[in-house]
Amino acid sequence: MRTLISGSGGLIGMALMASLKQRGYEIVRLVRRASAEGDILWSPEQNLLRLKPEDHFDIVVHLAGENIGAGRWTAGRKERILQSRVKGTQLLAESLTRLERTPAVFISASAVGYYGHRGDDIMREENGPGSGFLSEVCKAWETAADPVKKHGIRTVCLRFGMVLSPHGGALARMLLPFKLGLGGKFGDGCQYMSWIAIDDLVAVIHHVIYDASVSGPVNVVSPNPVTNAEFTKTLASVLHRPAIFNVPARALRLILGEMANALLLDSTRVEPAKLLATGFEFKYSDLRPALEYLLLQTP
C-alpha cells in the first residue's frame, strides 16, 4: 500500500519505515529538504505542502513535531512545540481533503500528556484532558486533525506513552548513568510512568491500519504501567547495577523548570483500553522482559 509519512527521521518514524519496507509498502516521505526521489516537500511554517490533486495514498501516518525534551521550556520553545504540531497537522489534514482520491486512514501522533497529572487514577480513552501545557498541546494537536475526520476519512490519534528503545528517547538517555551505577528515582518515585516498547508501538500502527473498527484516540501504552521507583529498580536490576541515588523534585524543578513536572514528576497511569478491546496482543506487556529484550540490542 502507498503510505505517506511525516517525521520519518524520528525514533518512531525510522522504526516504522523499516517495518513497512519489510512488508512491501510503498513509502513516500514528507520532508523539509528532498534527499530521495519521490520525497514531497513541506514547511508548515510557510504553509507549504507540495501535494498535487492527483496524488494518492492509501495510508497517511503523521509523526512530525518538535522534540519536547530537547531543551528548557522557554516561552519561545513552548510556542514552537505547540505550533509544530498544530500547524503541521492542520496543513496536512486540509490538504488531504482536497485530493481527488482521499486516503483510507489518517493516523496522527499525540501523547498521554493529554491526561495531565492524574495521580493513581487510571486513564482510558474516554477520559477528558487534564491541565497544564502538555495537555493543552495534545488537545489542540488532536483537534487539528478534524478536517480529515469531518471529510469522512477514518482518523486515529495515537496517544503515545514513553517509548522504550535503546536507539533514542528516554531509555537511551538513561543507560549511561544507570550503567555507571548513578541511576535513581525522580522525586518520591510514586509517579506512574506509562510506557511501550518500540516493537509493540510499531505493531500497534499495523493493527490500526488493518482494523477498520479502530478510530479516534488510542492509548499506545503497555497494559502494565509502573511507578518511577519500580522502573528505576527494574532497569538497574537488568543492568546488574545498584540504583541508590535519587534526584529531589525541588532540584529537578530548579534545573528544568516547568518541564520537570510534565516529563518527570507528573503521574499518568494509562490503560490501552481500545487496543485490548480490539484484540491487540502485546509482545512486551511487562517491563522486565521488555528491557531485557531491548538491551540486548545495545552495543
Side-chain angles (χ1 to χ4, degrees):
M1 289 185 282
R2 186 170 166 83
T3 305
L4 180 66
I5 299 180
S6 77
S8 60
L11 178 66
I12 297 171
M14 289 190 291
L16 178 61
M17 288 242 302
S19 176
L20 292 174
K21 285 178 179 177
Q22 283 183 339
R23 299 189 182 206
Y25 285 61
E26 180 186 355
I27 296 171
V28 178
R29 302 185 308 156
L30 274 182
V31 295
R32 293 178 180 274
R33 288 180 293 277
S35 59
E37 185 178 353
D39 287 348
I40 294 176
L41 288 173
W42 83 321
S43 173
E45 299 84 4
Q46 300 174 34
N47 203 38
L48 170 68
L49 175 52
R50 291 184 177 169
L51 281 182
K52 301 185 291 292
E54 63 271 21
D55 284 332
H56 168 64
F57 309 97
D58 300 291
I59 303 155
V60 177
V61 183
H62 175 44
L63 302 170
E66 179 144 342
N67 187 338
I68 63 171
R72 193 180 177 97
W73 286 356
T74 62
R77 264 196 57 76
K78 288 171 70 173
E79 185 63 15
R80 290 195 298 275
I81 288 168
L82 174 64
Q83 294 304 329
S84 70
R85 287 157 172 77
V86 174
K87 283 187 176 180
T89 305
Q90 285 177 337
L91 175 62
L92 181 55
E94 290 168 1
S95 299
L96 291 173
T97 66
R98 294 193 289 267
L99 296 181
E100 293 171 1
R101 183 181 169 194
T102 55
V105 59
F106 177 71
I107 301 168
S108 183
S110 183
V112 297
Y114 176 90
Y115 301 108
H117 176 52
R118 307 297 272 266
D120 293 345
D121 292 343
I122 297 173
M123 296 292 105
R124 302 180 180 90
E125 286 87 353
E126 67 266 21
N127 289 104
S131 59
F133 173 65
L134 277 190
S135 182
E136 291 300 319
V137 167
C138 291
K139 184 178 176 182
W141 195 1
E142 294 183 15
T143 300
D146 281 352
V148 286
K149 182 180 178 181
K150 291 176 180 177
H151 199 72
I153 300 168
R154 180 165 67 96
T155 303
V156 183
C157 292
L158 302 177
R159 292 176 180 166
F160 295 127
M162 182 176 68
V163 180
L164 298 186
S165 167
H167 305 300
L171 178 61
R173 291 193 293 272
M174 293 179 194
L175 286 180
L176 180 58
F178 271 80
K179 285 179 178 179
L180 293 174
L182 301 174
K185 63 186 180 181
F186 296 134
D188 62 13
C190 294
Q191 67 273 30
Y192 272 91
M193 302 169 64
S194 295
W195 60 275
I196 186 164
I198 186 72
D199 295 56
D200 274 340
L201 184 153
V202 170
V204 165
I205 296 177
H206 285 292
H207 176 75
V208 166
I209 288 170
Y210 284 104
D211 190 336
S213 72
V214 181
S215 64
V218 175
N219 292 334
V220 185
V221 294
S222 158
N224 297 306
V226 295
T227 64
N228 177 256
E230 291 174 283
F231 186 95
T232 297
K233 182 179 178 181
T234 304
L235 178 56
S237 174
V238 170
L239 291 170
H240 307 291
R241 296 290 189 274
I244 58 175
F245 295 94
N246 76 291
V247 185
R250 183 177 178 181
L252 287 168
R253 294 186 184 107
L254 184 65
I255 296 166
L256 300 175
E258 181 182 355
M259 66 185 287
N261 282 342
L263 300 186
L264 301 175
L265 299 171
D266 284 355
S267 181
T268 311
R269 187 180 184 183
V270 180
E271 179 180 297
K274 197 171 288 189
L275 287 175
L276 295 174
T278 55
F280 180 78
E281 296 183 4
F282 288 85
K283 190 172 182 181
Y284 303 102
S285 58
D286 294 308
L287 182 62
R288 187 178 185 92
L291 289 174
E292 289 173 340
Y293 162 73
L294 291 167
L295 296 182
L296 284 174
Q297 304 173 39
T298 58

